[in-house]
Amino acid sequence: MQTEIINYSVPSDLDNAAKIIKHGGLVVFPTETVYGLGADATNEAAVKKIYRAKGRPSDNPLIIHIANISDADKYVYTNKLFYLLAETFMPGPFTVVLPAKEIIPMCTRGGLKTVALRCPENNIARLLIKKSGVPIAAPSANLSGSPSPTRFEHVFDDMNGRVDVLIDGGECDIGLESTIVKIDDDSVTLLRPGKITIEQMEQLGVKVNVSSSVKKLVSKGEAVLSPGMKYKHYAPKAPLILVDSDIKKLVTYISEAEFDKNIAIIAYSEEIDFVKESLPYIHVYDFGKKHDTETQAHMLFKLLRDTDEKEYSVIFAPLPSENGLGLALYNRMIRAAAHKIIRM
Ligand code: TXA
Ligand code: MG
């Protein structure tokens, strides 16, 4: 398939991309979280193309993206709690799961009675949805099993030749996918942590339950609230080991253990010089400062993709905290590491 590349500069550049969505085609577009692989959410044939282009199992449902919160009632059954959360967190990196209306075909929602709905903040995403005049179903625009794409190079590598249009929107601001909550009458259940934190929702007086799959991997056959949690995710080619310790102990451990020299460490900025001095042969990647979880979120998927290009025998990275945005990093990193954690 011939893929057209749009370097977004003026809004009219999006007219063609919007036309392609309206006519059942596939468009990769930037959002503030990660790039999305979009099609008309109400068009079954178009949605099936998304699953094919990504290599995604058809029982793993998609998020539908709308431009205005006031459109939500067209597609889902809303309630008071939805409007309380939407007022504060939408548009933004926040996705809600609610009972679906008939207009959303079964294949978009993976056969479920509910559908996930998000109103992105990114200007290009919003214009594309407005101009196409339909809700856009979009998973992250990576091939199934790769880290979500946060830069244009990533979507070019994964999706060129598989979609009609790639829109170049530069780097995604946040770099981790949206927070997902299932909304019930009086409480929400966190299905996937992201930039909008549990603490922020609790500040609104909302009761937040946390799905068990947020902090651990799902075992085979276990029932899950979010089908995506069943699948292996974000795995780099080299084994990733999370380290719950300080950098000095890690450096001693590596120098005493019999690793070959083709090792990488993802380290906090403050630790880079120490690692380079102690283990000059090691490849070090800068994860941002220790308490700067926003930079770490922005960097994580890029670093995982970068390390994939070098065939390391093992990669070490710090185990993040489980507070605030740390929980989103923790959730993505324990999956990437298949829960390999060393504590020293
Ligand atoms: O930031 C984001 O959310 C990005 C951008 C493109 O918007 N999208 C994204 O989509 O991350 P995706 O498909 O990669 O992840 C959506 C997750 C999947 O794990 C899926 O199983 C879950 O949401 N999901 C979708 N619909 C659901 C539903 N009705 N109930 C429970 N989980 C659902
Ligand atoms: Mg994804």
Side-chain angles (χ1 to χ4, degrees), residues 65-105:
H65 296 69
I66 58 174
N68 299 303
I69 300 159
S70 54
D71 288 339
D73 288 288
K74 292 188 202 163
Y75 310 115
V76 294
Y77 293 95
T78 59
N79 63 11
K80 261 194 183 157
L81 191 47
F82 164 77
Y83 280 101
L84 174 71
L85 292 159
E87 219 168 81
T88 314
F89 303 126
M90 290 178 158
F94 189 68
T95 297
V96 296
V97 171
L98 283 163
K101 292 197 171 166
E102 279 294 300
I103 182 170
I104 301 299

mmCIF file of all heavy atoms in Angstrom, residues 65-105:
data_model
loop_
_atom_site.group_PDB
_atom_site.id
_atom_site.type_symbol
_atom_site.label_atom_id
_atom_site.label_comp_id
_atom_site.label_asym_id
_atom_site.label_seq_id
_atom_site.Cartn_x
_atom_site.Cartn_y
_atom_site.Cartn_z
ATOM 1 N N HIS A 65 -12.438 8.050 19.751
ATOM 2 C CA HIS A 65 -11.978 9.407 20.038
ATOM 3 C C HIS A 65 -12.984 10.416 19.499
ATOM 4 O O HIS A 65 -13.385 10.334 18.332
ATOM 5 C CB HIS A 65 -10.608 9.649 19.390
ATOM 6 C CG HIS A 65 -9.515 8.760 19.947
ATOM 7 N ND1 HIS A 65 -9.486 7.398 19.720
ATOM 8 C CD2 HIS A 65 -8.441 9.040 20.722
ATOM 9 C CE1 HIS A 65 -8.423 6.884 20.345
ATOM 10 N NE2 HIS A 65 -7.775 7.853 20.953
ATOM 11 N N ILE A 66 -13.388 11.350 20.369
ATOM 12 C CA ILE A 66 -14.345 12.388 19.970
ATOM 13 C C ILE A 66 -13.712 13.769 20.172
ATOM 14 O O ILE A 66 -12.751 13.903 20.928
ATOM 15 C CB ILE A 66 -15.669 12.283 20.778
ATOM 16 C CG1 ILE A 66 -15.402 12.383 22.299
ATOM 17 C CG2 ILE A 66 -16.393 10.986 20.451
ATOM 18 C CD1 ILE A 66 -16.668 12.426 23.155
ATOM 19 N N ALA A 67 -14.262 14.775 19.485
ATOM 20 C CA ALA A 67 -13.666 16.115 19.582
ATOM 21 C C ALA A 67 -14.299 16.953 20.690
ATOM 22 O O ALA A 67 -13.659 17.854 21.234
ATOM 23 C CB ALA A 67 -13.778 16.833 18.234
ATOM 24 N N ASN A 68 -15.565 16.666 21.011
ATOM 25 C CA ASN A 68 -16.256 17.446 22.041
ATOM 26 C C ASN A 68 -16.927 16.536 23.051
ATOM 27 O O ASN A 68 -17.575 15.555 22.664
ATOM 28 C CB ASN A 68 -17.361 18.313 21.410
ATOM 29 C CG ASN A 68 -16.770 19.294 20.422
ATOM 30 O OD1 ASN A 68 -15.902 20.093 20.767
ATOM 31 N ND2 ASN A 68 -17.198 19.178 19.165
ATOM 32 N N ILE A 69 -16.814 16.906 24.318
ATOM 33 C CA ILE A 69 -17.425 16.096 25.370
ATOM 34 C C ILE A 69 -18.928 15.970 25.135
ATOM 35 O O ILE A 69 -19.541 14.946 25.413
ATOM 36 C CB ILE A 69 -17.155 16.732 26.750
ATOM 37 C CG1 ILE A 69 -15.648 16.803 26.987
ATOM 38 C CG2 ILE A 69 -17.811 15.945 27.875
ATOM 39 C CD1 ILE A 69 -15.235 17.814 28.010
ATOM 40 N N SER A 70 -19.513 17.023 24.558
ATOM 41 C CA SER A 70 -20.969 16.986 24.344
ATOM 42 C C SER A 70 -21.382 15.916 23.333
ATOM 43 O O SER A 70 -22.569 15.597 23.227
ATOM 44 C CB SER A 70 -21.457 18.366 23.883
ATOM 45 O OG SER A 70 -20.721 18.759 22.750
ATOM 46 N N ASP A 71 -20.418 15.328 22.605
ATOM 47 C CA ASP A 71 -20.748 14.233 21.678
ATOM 48 C C ASP A 71 -20.841 12.875 22.382
ATOM 49 O O ASP A 71 -21.295 11.894 21.780
ATOM 50 C CB ASP A 71 -19.685 14.110 20.572
ATOM 51 C CG ASP A 71 -19.779 15.258 19.579
ATOM 52 O OD1 ASP A 71 -20.859 15.892 19.499
ATOM 53 O OD2 ASP A 71 -18.778 15.530 18.896
ATOM 54 N N ALA A 72 -20.378 12.824 23.646
ATOM 55 C CA ALA A 72 -20.300 11.524 24.333
ATOM 56 C C ALA A 72 -21.645 10.797 24.316
ATOM 57 O O ALA A 72 -21.713 9.588 24.060
ATOM 58 C CB ALA A 72 -19.827 11.714 25.776
ATOM 59 N N ASP A 73 -22.749 11.532 24.562
ATOM 60 C CA ASP A 73 -24.071 10.894 24.662
ATOM 61 C C ASP A 73 -24.542 10.244 23.369
ATOM 62 O O ASP A 73 -25.463 9.447 23.385
ATOM 63 C CB ASP A 73 -25.102 11.917 25.151
ATOM 64 C CG ASP A 73 -24.894 12.238 26.619
ATOM 65 O OD1 ASP A 73 -25.204 11.374 27.453
ATOM 66 O OD2 ASP A 73 -24.364 13.334 26.919
ATOM 67 N N LYS A 74 -23.910 10.585 22.257
ATOM 68 C CA LYS A 74 -24.275 9.921 20.998
ATOM 69 C C LYS A 74 -23.809 8.470 20.988
ATOM 70 O O LYS A 74 -24.343 7.640 20.274
ATOM 71 C CB LYS A 74 -23.594 10.623 19.818
ATOM 72 C CG LYS A 74 -24.072 12.013 19.515
ATOM 73 C CD LYS A 74 -23.409 12.447 18.203
ATOM 74 C CE LYS A 74 -23.395 13.956 18.093
ATOM 75 N NZ LYS A 74 -22.443 14.429 17.077
ATOM 76 N N TYR A 75 -22.749 8.186 21.742
ATOM 77 C CA TYR A 75 -22.090 6.881 21.615
ATOM 78 C C TYR A 75 -22.145 6.010 22.863
ATOM 79 O O TYR A 75 -22.007 4.801 22.769
ATOM 80 C CB TYR A 75 -20.617 7.082 21.202
ATOM 81 C CG TYR A 75 -20.501 8.003 20.024
ATOM 82 C CD1 TYR A 75 -19.866 9.242 20.125
ATOM 83 C CD2 TYR A 75 -21.070 7.635 18.799
ATOM 84 C CE1 TYR A 75 -19.783 10.091 19.043
ATOM 85 C CE2 TYR A 75 -21.004 8.492 17.706
ATOM 86 C CZ TYR A 75 -20.355 9.723 17.827
ATOM 87 O OH TYR A 75 -20.294 10.557 16.764
ATOM 88 N N VAL A 76 -22.305 6.643 24.044
ATOM 89 C CA VAL A 76 -22.329 5.878 25.300
ATOM 90 C C VAL A 76 -23.445 6.390 26.206
ATOM 91 O O VAL A 76 -23.952 7.511 26.011
ATOM 92 C CB VAL A 76 -20.989 6.002 26.077
ATOM 93 C CG1 VAL A 76 -19.844 5.355 25.321
ATOM 94 C CG2 VAL A 76 -20.667 7.454 26.408
ATOM 95 N N TYR A 77 -23.828 5.545 27.202
ATOM 96 C CA TYR A 77 -24.782 5.980 28.225
ATOM 97 C C TYR A 77 -23.978 6.630 29.348
ATOM 98 O O TYR A 77 -23.236 5.951 30.053
ATOM 99 C CB TYR A 77 -25.593 4.777 28.737
ATOM 100 C CG TYR A 77 -26.508 4.221 27.660
ATOM 101 C CD1 TYR A 77 -26.095 3.138 26.871
ATOM 102 C CD2 TYR A 77 -27.759 4.790 27.415
ATOM 103 C CE1 TYR A 77 -26.915 2.633 25.876
ATOM 104 C CE2 TYR A 77 -28.588 4.288 26.411
ATOM 105 C CZ TYR A 77 -28.161 3.220 25.652
ATOM 106 O OH TYR A 77 -28.972 2.729 24.652
ATOM 107 N N THR A 78 -24.081 7.935 29.484
ATOM 108 C CA THR A 78 -23.285 8.659 30.482
ATOM 109 C C THR A 78 -24.043 8.707 31.812
ATOM 110 O O THR A 78 -25.213 8.338 31.891
ATOM 111 C CB THR A 78 -23.021 10.110 30.024
ATOM 112 O OG1 THR A 78 -24.274 10.757 29.828
ATOM 113 C CG2 THR A 78 -22.198 10.155 28.752
ATOM 114 N N ASN A 79 -23.363 9.161 32.853
ATOM 115 C CA ASN A 79 -24.018 9.402 34.141
ATOM 116 C C ASN A 79 -23.373 10.627 34.791
ATOM 117 O O ASN A 79 -22.487 11.256 34.208
ATOM 118 C CB ASN A 79 -23.957 8.143 35.034
ATOM 119 C CG ASN A 79 -22.523 7.755 35.381
ATOM 120 O OD1 ASN A 79 -21.578 8.512 35.131
ATOM 121 N ND2 ASN A 79 -22.343 6.583 35.943
ATOM 122 N N LYS A 80 -23.798 10.915 36.018
ATOM 123 C CA LYS A 80 -23.310 12.111 36.730
ATOM 124 C C LYS A 80 -21.803 12.060 36.936
ATOM 125 O O LYS A 80 -21.094 13.055 36.791
ATOM 126 C CB LYS A 80 -23.963 12.173 38.113
ATOM 127 C CG LYS A 80 -25.123 13.099 38.197
ATOM 128 C CD LYS A 80 -25.419 13.305 39.676
ATOM 129 C CE LYS A 80 -26.645 14.182 39.837
ATOM 130 N NZ LYS A 80 -27.269 13.988 41.127
ATOM 131 N N LEU A 81 -21.331 10.875 37.329
ATOM 132 C CA LEU A 81 -19.903 10.716 37.618
ATOM 133 C C LEU A 81 -19.059 10.982 36.362
ATOM 134 O O LEU A 81 -17.979 11.579 36.428
ATOM 135 C CB LEU A 81 -19.664 9.300 38.166
ATOM 136 C CG LEU A 81 -18.304 8.985 38.768
ATOM 137 C CD1 LEU A 81 -17.838 10.065 39.726
ATOM 138 C CD2 LEU A 81 -18.353 7.633 39.478
ATOM 139 N N PHE A 82 -19.583 10.557 35.207
ATOM 140 C CA PHE A 82 -18.875 10.851 33.954
ATOM 141 C C PHE A 82 -18.686 12.359 33.806
ATOM 142 O O PHE A 82 -17.585 12.833 33.512
ATOM 143 C CB PHE A 82 -19.633 10.294 32.738
ATOM 144 C CG PHE A 82 -19.150 10.905 31.434
ATOM 145 C CD1 PHE A 82 -17.958 10.490 30.860
ATOM 146 C CD2 PHE A 82 -19.868 11.932 30.804
ATOM 147 C CE1 PHE A 82 -17.477 11.074 29.685
ATOM 148 C CE2 PHE A 82 -19.403 12.521 29.630
ATOM 149 C CZ PHE A 82 -18.206 12.090 29.059
ATOM 150 N N TYR A 83 -19.755 13.128 34.023
ATOM 151 C CA TYR A 83 -19.651 14.576 33.805
ATOM 152 C C TYR A 83 -18.724 15.235 34.826
ATOM 153 O O TYR A 83 -17.995 16.175 34.494
ATOM 154 C CB TYR A 83 -21.032 15.234 33.752
ATOM 155 C CG TYR A 83 -21.625 15.019 32.375
ATOM 156 C CD1 TYR A 83 -22.593 14.039 32.150
ATOM 157 C CD2 TYR A 83 -21.157 15.744 31.280
ATOM 158 C CE1 TYR A 83 -23.098 13.799 30.884
ATOM 159 C CE2 TYR A 83 -21.652 15.512 30.008
ATOM 160 C CZ TYR A 83 -22.616 14.540 29.810
ATOM 161 O OH TYR A 83 -23.087 14.310 28.553
ATOM 162 N N LEU A 84 -18.710 14.726 36.054
ATOM 163 C CA LEU A 84 -17.791 15.261 37.060
ATOM 164 C C LEU A 84 -16.338 15.073 36.602
ATOM 165 O O LEU A 84 -15.518 16.003 36.650
ATOM 166 C CB LEU A 84 -18.019 14.544 38.397
ATOM 167 C CG LEU A 84 -17.038 14.909 39.506
ATOM 168 C CD1 LEU A 84 -17.310 16.330 40.005
ATOM 169 C CD2 LEU A 84 -17.133 13.929 40.678
ATOM 170 N N LEU A 85 -16.027 13.867 36.140
ATOM 171 C CA LEU A 85 -14.657 13.582 35.701
ATOM 172 C C LEU A 85 -14.332 14.311 34.401
ATOM 173 O O LEU A 85 -13.237 14.861 34.231
ATOM 174 C CB LEU A 85 -14.479 12.072 35.523
ATOM 175 C CG LEU A 85 -14.525 11.249 36.813
ATOM 176 C CD1 LEU A 85 -14.858 9.794 36.528
ATOM 177 C CD2 LEU A 85 -13.192 11.355 37.557
ATOM 178 N N ALA A 86 -15.302 14.326 33.488
ATOM 179 C CA ALA A 86 -15.064 14.941 32.175
ATOM 180 C C ALA A 86 -14.775 16.431 32.313
ATOM 181 O O ALA A 86 -13.915 16.980 31.619
ATOM 182 C CB ALA A 86 -16.266 14.707 31.261
ATOM 183 N N GLU A 87 -15.470 17.077 33.225
ATOM 184 C CA GLU A 87 -15.285 18.516 33.425
ATOM 185 C C GLU A 87 -13.838 18.855 33.777
ATOM 186 O O GLU A 87 -13.305 19.875 33.369
ATOM 187 C CB GLU A 87 -16.164 18.927 34.611
ATOM 188 C CG GLU A 87 -16.844 20.256 34.431
ATOM 189 C CD GLU A 87 -17.894 20.402 35.522
ATOM 190 O OE1 GLU A 87 -17.521 20.758 36.648
ATOM 191 O OE2 GLU A 87 -19.075 20.105 35.223
ATOM 192 N N THR A 88 -13.211 17.967 34.554
ATOM 193 C CA THR A 88 -11.840 18.223 35.003
ATOM 194 C C THR A 88 -10.784 17.641 34.063
ATOM 195 O O THR A 88 -9.756 18.263 33.835
ATOM 196 C CB THR A 88 -11.628 17.629 36.418
ATOM 197 O OG1 THR A 88 -12.744 18.005 37.207
ATOM 198 C CG2 THR A 88 -10.359 18.142 37.055
ATOM 199 N N PHE A 89 -11.024 16.462 33.525
ATOM 200 C CA PHE A 89 -9.940 15.759 32.833
ATOM 201 C C PHE A 89 -10.093 15.666 31.312
ATOM 202 O O PHE A 89 -9.247 15.071 30.646
ATOM 203 C CB PHE A 89 -9.773 14.352 33.408
ATOM 204 C CG PHE A 89 -9.521 14.338 34.893
ATOM 205 C CD1 PHE A 89 -10.315 13.587 35.747
ATOM 206 C CD2 PHE A 89 -8.488 15.100 35.445
ATOM 207 C CE1 PHE A 89 -10.083 13.568 37.117
ATOM 208 C CE2 PHE A 89 -8.249 15.096 36.808
ATOM 209 C CZ PHE A 89 -9.043 14.334 37.647
ATOM 210 N N MET A 90 -11.175 16.183 30.754
ATOM 211 C CA MET A 90 -11.372 16.089 29.304
ATOM 212 C C MET A 90 -11.543 17.473 28.709
ATOM 213 O O MET A 90 -12.243 18.268 29.320
ATOM 214 C CB MET A 90 -12.603 15.240 28.987
ATOM 215 C CG MET A 90 -12.412 13.768 29.302
ATOM 216 S SD MET A 90 -13.947 12.901 28.936
ATOM 217 C CE MET A 90 -13.408 11.244 28.726
ATOM 218 N N PRO A 91 -10.970 17.814 27.554
ATOM 219 C CA PRO A 91 -10.078 16.973 26.782
ATOM 220 C C PRO A 91 -8.782 16.707 27.529
ATOM 221 O O PRO A 91 -8.331 17.560 28.286
ATOM 222 C CB PRO A 91 -9.798 17.807 25.519
ATOM 223 C CG PRO A 91 -10.733 18.957 25.543
ATOM 224 C CD PRO A 91 -11.222 19.113 26.928
ATOM 225 N N GLY A 92 -8.205 15.533 27.288
ATOM 226 C CA GLY A 92 -6.954 15.194 27.941
ATOM 227 C C GLY A 92 -6.655 13.715 27.897
ATOM 228 O O GLY A 92 -7.367 12.949 27.251
ATOM 229 N N PRO A 93 -5.623 13.298 28.640
ATOM 230 C CA PRO A 93 -5.142 11.907 28.558
ATOM 231 C C PRO A 93 -5.953 10.969 29.452
ATOM 232 O O PRO A 93 -5.411 10.308 30.333
ATOM 233 C CB PRO A 93 -3.693 12.029 29.052
ATOM 234 C CG PRO A 93 -3.723 13.174 30.002
ATOM 235 C CD PRO A 93 -4.738 14.144 29.477
ATOM 236 N N PHE A 94 -7.265 10.939 29.243
ATOM 237 C CA PHE A 94 -8.188 10.271 30.143
ATOM 238 C C PHE A 94 -9.246 9.552 29.318
ATOM 239 O O PHE A 94 -9.922 10.175 28.499
ATOM 240 C CB PHE A 94 -8.833 11.349 31.023
ATOM 241 C CG PHE A 94 -9.658 10.795 32.147
ATOM 242 C CD1 PHE A 94 -9.050 10.113 33.192
ATOM 243 C CD2 PHE A 94 -11.028 10.975 32.183
ATOM 244 C CE1 PHE A 94 -9.799 9.603 34.247
ATOM 245 C CE2 PHE A 94 -11.790 10.478 33.225
ATOM 246 C CZ PHE A 94 -11.174 9.791 34.267
ATOM 247 N N THR A 95 -9.394 8.234 29.545
ATOM 248 C CA THR A 95 -10.344 7.425 28.779
ATOM 249 C C THR A 95 -11.341 6.800 29.739
ATOM 250 O O THR A 95 -10.949 6.294 30.791
ATOM 251 C CB THR A 95 -9.593 6.313 28.008
ATOM 252 O OG1 THR A 95 -8.713 6.933 27.075
ATOM 253 C CG2 THR A 95 -10.540 5.392 27.259
ATOM 254 N N VAL A 96 -12.629 6.845 29.374
ATOM 255 C CA VAL A 96 -13.655 6.263 30.239
ATOM 256 C C VAL A 96 -14.337 5.085 29.536
ATOM 257 O O VAL A 96 -14.525 5.119 28.319
ATOM 258 C CB VAL A 96 -14.736 7.311 30.619
ATOM 259 C CG1 VAL A 96 -14.122 8.424 31.451
ATOM 260 C CG2 VAL A 96 -15.435 7.867 29.387
ATOM 261 N N VAL A 97 -14.654 4.062 30.315
ATOM 262 C CA VAL A 97 -15.388 2.920 29.773
ATOM 263 C C VAL A 97 -16.810 2.991 30.309
ATOM 264 O O VAL A 97 -17.029 3.065 31.521
ATOM 265 C CB VAL A 97 -14.702 1.591 30.177
ATOM 266 C CG1 VAL A 97 -15.560 0.394 29.804
ATOM 267 C CG2 VAL A 97 -13.321 1.484 29.539
ATOM 268 N N LEU A 98 -17.777 3.016 29.387
ATOM 269 C CA LEU A 98 -19.192 3.154 29.742
ATOM 270 C C LEU A 98 -20.018 2.230 28.832
ATOM 271 O O LEU A 98 -19.527 1.790 27.776
ATOM 272 C CB LEU A 98 -19.641 4.607 29.504
ATOM 273 C CG LEU A 98 -19.197 5.632 30.564
ATOM 274 C CD1 LEU A 98 -19.336 7.050 30.035
ATOM 275 C CD2 LEU A 98 -20.018 5.463 31.854
ATOM 276 N N PRO A 99 -21.297 1.958 29.198
ATOM 277 C CA PRO A 99 -22.139 1.128 28.314
ATOM 278 C C PRO A 99 -22.262 1.777 26.924
ATOM 279 O O PRO A 99 -22.483 2.973 26.809
ATOM 280 C CB PRO A 99 -23.488 1.115 29.034
ATOM 281 C CG PRO A 99 -23.165 1.425 30.464
ATOM 282 C CD PRO A 99 -21.988 2.336 30.432
ATOM 283 N N ALA A 100 -22.105 0.939 25.892
ATOM 284 C CA ALA A 100 -22.081 1.458 24.517
ATOM 285 C C ALA A 100 -23.483 1.584 23.942
ATOM 286 O O ALA A 100 -24.378 0.811 24.289
ATOM 287 C CB ALA A 100 -21.270 0.509 23.649
ATOM 288 N N LYS A 101 -23.669 2.551 23.051
ATOM 289 C CA LYS A 101 -24.909 2.616 22.269
ATOM 290 C C LYS A 101 -24.713 1.801 20.991
ATOM 291 O O LYS A 101 -23.585 1.565 20.562
ATOM 292 C CB LYS A 101 -25.265 4.078 21.978
ATOM 293 C CG LYS A 101 -25.665 4.812 23.263
ATOM 294 C CD LYS A 101 -26.420 6.108 23.029
ATOM 295 C CE LYS A 101 -26.955 6.609 24.386
ATOM 296 N NZ LYS A 101 -27.420 8.010 24.329
ATOM 297 N N GLU A 102 -25.858 1.416 20.399
ATOM 298 C CA GLU A 102 -25.862 0.511 19.242
ATOM 299 C C GLU A 102 -25.015 1.001 18.073
ATOM 300 O O GLU A 102 -24.475 0.212 17.309
ATOM 301 C CB GLU A 102 -27.308 0.333 18.739
ATOM 302 C CG GLU A 102 -28.096 -0.665 19.543
ATOM 303 C CD GLU A 102 -27.537 -2.065 19.395
ATOM 304 O OE1 GLU A 102 -27.499 -2.561 18.253
ATOM 305 O OE2 GLU A 102 -27.131 -2.652 20.424
ATOM 306 N N ILE A 103 -24.893 2.327 17.932
ATOM 307 C CA ILE A 103 -24.204 2.899 16.780
ATOM 308 C C ILE A 103 -22.738 2.463 16.704
ATOM 309 O O ILE A 103 -22.128 2.460 15.634
ATOM 310 C CB ILE A 103 -24.326 4.449 16.783
ATOM 311 C CG1 ILE A 103 -23.658 5.047 15.554
ATOM 312 C CG2 ILE A 103 -23.778 5.066 18.052
ATOM 313 C CD1 ILE A 103 -23.923 6.524 15.338
ATOM 314 N N ILE A 104 -22.187 2.047 17.848
ATOM 315 C CA ILE A 104 -20.789 1.563 17.838
ATOM 316 C C ILE A 104 -20.792 0.056 17.573
ATOM 317 O O ILE A 104 -21.275 -0.722 18.385
ATOM 318 C CB ILE A 104 -20.084 1.850 19.190
ATOM 319 C CG1 ILE A 104 -20.089 3.349 19.502
ATOM 320 C CG2 ILE A 104 -18.651 1.313 19.191
ATOM 321 C CD1 ILE A 104 -19.373 4.233 18.492
ATOM 322 N N PRO A 105 -20.279 -0.363 16.404
ATOM 323 C CA PRO A 105 -20.357 -1.782 16.048
ATOM 324 C C PRO A 105 -19.582 -2.669 17.020
ATOM 325 O O PRO A 105 -18.638 -2.215 17.661
ATOM 326 C CB PRO A 105 -19.716 -1.849 14.655
ATOM 327 C CG PRO A 105 -19.305 -0.497 14.284
ATOM 328 C CD PRO A 105 -19.606 0.444 15.389
#
